[in-house]
Amino acid sequence: MIRPFDDAAIEDAVTRIRAGECVAVPTETVYGLAADATNGEAVASVYAAKGRPSFNPLIVHVPDLATAKTLADLNGAAEQLAEQFWPGPLTMVLPRAKNSPVADIVTAGLDTIAIRIPAHPAMQALLRASGRPLAAPSANASGRISPTQAAHVRQSLDGKIGLIIDAGPSGLGLESTIVAADDASVRLLRPGPITADQISDACGLAIEASKSEMITAPGQLETHYAPAKPLRLDASSGEPDEWLIGFGAVAGDASLSDTGDLIEAAANLFGCLHEADASDRPKIAVAPLPRDGIGEAIADRLARAAHRD
């Protein structure tokens, strides 16, 4: 069931959350599939609905910094980043607080927790009304294209969840940046709307790429965000059997941004992939994009979408 975002929809969602169900709710990044992070069975229902690997941890969403500090230990660098970017599209992987009530299944057996304070009014309303931290990965089948509209959620998870709250298209259309911060450096675990330069400027620390092959945060699987069709990158033109996603001067069947705007491209990325996946052509091609700034995050998503086992 899809309900427009209003007080009645939030009340319905709270009832479901407290009963151990999961519900789809918009955030400023993409639509999330939210469940009570303190209820292991509820979180298991998220994994089941998504078909998500159990070794891939979930992001926990909280309404404010005070709540975050009951779940995670924030060092000096993390405090600086929180002050600058929360609420917003930044997830920090931090040491799990000693008495954190979050269920072990959320962290996939790790001694760290991925945590974020979202800015979207619908997710904030649900967090505050439910009084629970919410584990909320993207509301799509695992490894598939992330949802930026309620219709995308229904298409991917129809029959597996009872409620989708519709607040229109996601503003950013790209999952949060994920970092692991200590007082010496910050490791970039997943590029996103907040760039490495912005993070470095905010905390005064160097940004290091994650070199570990261990899954320590959401979105690190090699194959992820993938359409069902083969996808070719850096295509200056499309073949007859390809749906071409354009950018800038490269016109396509759809375009990430006719003007070459990377912010617009990020917001349109998953919507274009959904459109291409639903087309009558068996393959997808994507025009070249710059890799500076948020282009790095777009390139990361496209590389994972193009990876075939």
Side-chain angles (χ1 to χ4, degrees):
M1 175 174 58
I2 295 180
R3 299 188 63 166
F5 168 44
D6 57 18
D7 290 345
I10 293 298
E11 184 178 353
D12 185 3
V14 168
T15 299
R16 293 171 184 271
I17 290 287
R18 290 180 176 172
E21 297 181 34
C22 54
V23 301
V25 59
T27 79
E28 69 273 25
T29 56
V30 298
Y31 275 64
L33 187 58
D36 179 359
T38 68
N39 182 336
E41 291 185 4
V43 175
S45 73
V46 172
Y47 283 100
K50 287 178 63 66
R52 188 181 181 92
S54 61
F55 53 82
N56 201 8
L58 304 179
I59 295 174
V60 177
H61 296 69
V62 295
D64 50 43
L65 186 58
T67 306
K69 289 181 176 180
T70 67
L71 307 182
D73 296 328
L74 278 70
N75 55 39
E79 292 265 13
Q80 288 179 304
L81 293 175
E83 181 178 355
Q84 183 71 26
F85 298 116
W86 279 353
L90 178 69
T91 295
M92 287 193 277
V93 176
L94 301 165
R96 186 173 173 180
K98 184 177 181 180
N99 296 317
S100 170
V102 168
D104 289 339
I105 189 173
V106 174
T107 61
L110 302 174
D111 59 3
T112 55
I113 184 170
I115 196 162
R116 180 166 93 86
I117 299 177
H120 196 286
M123 182 57 118
Q124 275 287 337
L126 181 56
L127 286 163
R128 294 183 184 279
S130 67
R132 311 286 170 84
L134 299 176
S138 56
N140 58 291
S142 186
R144 308 305 295 179
I145 307 167
S146 296
T148 56
Q149 300 178 29
H152 296 162
V153 181
R154 180 168 56 188
Q155 180 182 31
S156 187
L157 298 178
D158 192 27
K160 296 182 179 179
I161 58 175
L163 176 64
I164 303 168
I165 296 177
D166 185 359
S170 300
L172 294 174
L174 198 68
E175 292 91 342
S176 61
T177 303
I178 302 180
V179 299
D182 58 39
D183 287 327
S185 66
V186 176
R187 286 184 295 125
L188 181 63
L189 301 178
R190 181 177 74 184
I194 298 173
T195 67
D197 287 343
Q198 289 175 307
I199 293 166
S200 181
D201 289 344
C203 65
L205 296 174
I207 306 299
E208 300 178 355
S210 178
K211 298 180 176 63
S212 173
E213 295 182 358
M214 181 179 180
I215 301 298
T216 58
Q220 289 185 299
L221 294 175
E222 187 175 15
T223 302
H224 207 48
Y225 318 108
K229 301 173 181 178
L231 188 150
R232 180 169 66 95
L233 303 178
D234 298 321
S236 57
S237 62
E239 299 295 337
D241 62 346
E242 291 177 329
W243 178 277
L244 177 62
I245 298 174
F247 177 80
V250 178
D253 298 285
S255 180
L256 294 172
S257 172
D258 291 331
T259 61
D261 185 325
L262 286 173
I263 299 296
E264 183 182 15
N268 289 335
L269 176 61
F270 290 123
C272 284
L273 286 173
H274 276 287
E275 185 178 1
D277 216 21
S279 76
D280 59 358
R281 274 167 251 175
K283 298 179 182 179
I284 304 170
V286 183
L289 288 89
R291 290 175 177 257
D292 54 305
I294 200 170
E296 179 186 5
I298 299 171
D300 171 80
R301 302 308 191 276
L302 286 172
R304 295 171 192 269
H307 180 83
R308 316 299 290 188
D309 290 332

